[in-house]
Amino acid sequence: MSPLDISLADLIARLDEELPEAGELARVSEARLRAQTLSDLGDQLIDHYVSKAKRSGASWTEIGDAIGVSKQAAQQRHTPAAFERFTNLNRHGVVLAQEAARTHRHDSIGTEHLLLGLLGEPRGLAYEVLVAKTGSEQRVRDAIQEALPPAGEKTLRGHIPFREESKEAIGQARRASDDLGHDWVGTEHTLLGLIRVPDSTAARILRDLGFTPEELHETVTTEITRRRAAHGDR
C-alpha cells in the first residue's frame, strides 16, 4: 500500500501561507498544534476501521495483530466508546473543539469548545442550523468568544480532558440520536445534546442566540428529513 498523498513540504507551505507575518517561534507553536490535530485524526481513523472490523466478526487478537500490539492493548485502546457512532463530520468537530481548547491554553474541553467545533465544520447540519437562525457565522462566533474563559498561561501538551458538562452533552447527543431512531450521531445531534445540558455554557449561549430545546429539536428533525430526501448527507 502507498502512503497518504501528503508531504512535509505541503504542510510547511500551507502553514507559511496561512501565517505569513508570524515569527519562527510562533510557527513552532502552530506546527505543534497541527501535529496534535493530525495525531488525533489518525487515532480516529484507526478507531473507525477497528469498529468496522469488530462488526464484521474480527477478534481482538486479530485486530491487535493488524495494529501491531497485543490483544489486551488493542482492546483497551480501541474498545467502542463515546464516539463510536459519530459521523466523520462530527468527529472532526470534536477534534476542532480539542484544538480550540489547546489554542486558548485551556486545561479542559468545555461545551463552548464543542460549540466552536461545530461552527468550524461548515458541511455539518449543525452549522447550517446555527447560521440560518442567527443570520451569520460571525454572530455565533462572537457569542462563543465572549463566553470563553481567559487564556491560560501555559501551552498544554498531550491529552486534554473533557469537563463533566461536556461528557454529559456527548451522552445527550447519543440519546438525541436514539430518540430520533437514527443509527448515527451527527453534528445536529451534538447541537441537540449541548442545549439539553441547561446549565452548560453552550446552552446559555444558544438560549441567548434565540434557540429553545423544543424549536431546535423540530428544526433538526425537519432538516434531517429534507437532507436525506435531497442527497443523504449528514
Side-chain angles (χ1 to χ4, degrees):
M1 293 180 66
S2 60
L4 292 175
D5 186 18
I6 187 170
S7 69
L8 176 60
D10 294 331
L11 296 172
I12 292 172
R14 179 171 176 179
L15 193 154
D16 288 345
E17 179 183 350
E18 294 178 3
L19 301 174
E21 305 298 328
E24 296 306 323
L25 291 178
R27 296 187 190 205
V28 169
S29 296
E30 180 63 23
R32 190 191 61 77
L33 290 172
R34 297 189 184 199
Q36 182 63 51
T37 299
L38 288 171
S39 176
D40 291 339
L41 285 171
D43 288 342
Q44 291 187 25
L45 177 66
I46 296 171
D47 286 344
H48 172 77
Y49 284 104
V50 167
S51 295
K52 292 190 72 172
K54 283 300 294 179
R55 288 196 294 270
S56 69
S59 69
W60 282 113
T61 298
E62 292 170 324
I63 291 171
D65 289 342
I67 298 172
V69 300
S70 69
K71 167 188 173 182
Q72 290 77 12
Q75 193 166 6
Q76 290 173 2
R77 197 178 305 169
H78 300 288
T79 296
F83 305 112
E84 179 186 11
R85 292 189 292 136
F86 274 41
T87 63
N88 290 336
L89 297 184
N90 206 14
R91 286 172 183 260
H92 185 227
V94 173
V95 170
L96 292 176
Q98 295 170 337
E99 186 173 353
R102 199 179 304 278
T103 299
H104 289 86
R105 300 192 295 276
H106 295 154
D107 60 5
S108 60
I109 300 169
T111 56
E112 64 274 22
H113 300 114
L114 290 173
L115 187 57
L116 199 57
L118 294 179
L119 198 63
E121 183 40 88
R123 295 170 296 170
L125 180 51
Y127 177 93
E128 182 178 317
V129 171
L130 286 167
V131 173
K133 175 73 172 180
T134 61
S136 74
E137 174 186 330
Q138 193 59 48
R139 185 183 172 199
V140 184
R141 196 170 292 279
D142 289 344
I144 298 171
Q145 191 64 40
E146 289 180 8
L148 284 173
E153 296 181 359
K154 295 182 179 180
T155 300
L156 300 175
R157 301 180 183 277
H159 175 68
I160 300 179
F162 289 95
R163 290 184 210 147
E164 287 304 315
E165 65 175 20
S166 298
K167 293 178 183 178
E168 184 179 351
I170 291 168
Q172 289 291 347
R174 295 197 302 271
R175 283 188 277 278
S177 172
D178 292 339
D179 291 345
L180 291 169
H182 298 154
D183 59 2
W184 76 91
V185 181
T187 61
E188 63 276 16
H189 300 115
T190 295
L191 186 59
L192 289 173
L194 290 171
I195 206 168
R196 286 185 175 192
V197 185
D199 294 331
S200 71
T201 302
R204 291 196 294 272
I205 294 170
L206 290 170
R207 289 196 298 269
D208 289 344
L209 290 171
F211 289 95
T212 66
E214 296 77 13
E215 178 195 13
L216 186 56
H217 184 275
E218 182 177 349
T219 299
V220 165
T221 302
T222 300
E223 289 303 312
I224 288 173
T225 301
R226 181 187 65 79
R227 275 197 170 199
R228 293 182 79 180
H231 42 62
D233 286 351
R234 293 196 289 274

